[in-house]
């Protein structure tokens, strides 16, 4: 598996997890810190990496031995 594929899996899992946790605690973004802020954080990181081609998760995965590859950061 390449870093691009692992990043997509991790980001998707984090988004699903934070939406699930938000639904369990009946929280909204306007009433205070909730799990939806985590969803926003993941989305913002995906957004910025699309423009800057820099992804911290990619750097971490490469150090952990995941094969670089795909359209992420320095692997393209």
């Amino acid at each position: 598996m390449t870093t691009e594929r692992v990043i997509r899996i991790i980001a998707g899992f984090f988004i699903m997890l934070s939406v699930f946790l938000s639904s369990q605690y009946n929280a909204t973004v306007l009433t205070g810190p909730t799990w939806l802020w985590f969803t926003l954080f993941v989305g913002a990181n995906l957004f910025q990496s699309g423009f800057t081609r820099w992804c911290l998760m990619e750097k971490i995965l490469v150090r952990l031995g995941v094969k670089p590859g795909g359209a992420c950061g320095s692997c393209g």
Side-chain angles (χ1 to χ4, degrees):
M1 231 187 274
T2 63
T3 54
E4 180 182 15
R5 189 165 182 192
V6 175
I7 288 169
R8 288 174 187 237
I9 291 169
I10 291 170
F13 173 75
F14 281 169
I15 290 170
M16 290 187 301
L17 177 66
S18 64
V19 169
F20 171 76
L21 291 170
S22 290
S23 71
Q24 292 300 308
Y25 294 104
N26 294 327
T28 65
V29 174
L30 300 176
T31 59
T34 68
W35 287 104
L36 292 177
W37 289 110
F38 186 61
T39 307
L40 180 67
F41 173 76
V42 172
N45 278 290
L46 288 169
F47 183 76
Q48 73 81 23
S49 71
F51 287 104
T52 65
R53 296 183 52 89
W54 183 85
C55 178
L56 179 60
M57 181 60 73
E58 178 189 10
K59 304 297 181 196
I60 292 169
L61 291 171
V62 168
R63 285 191 169 236
L64 291 174
V66 177
K67 181 177 123 181
C72 304
S74 60
C75 56

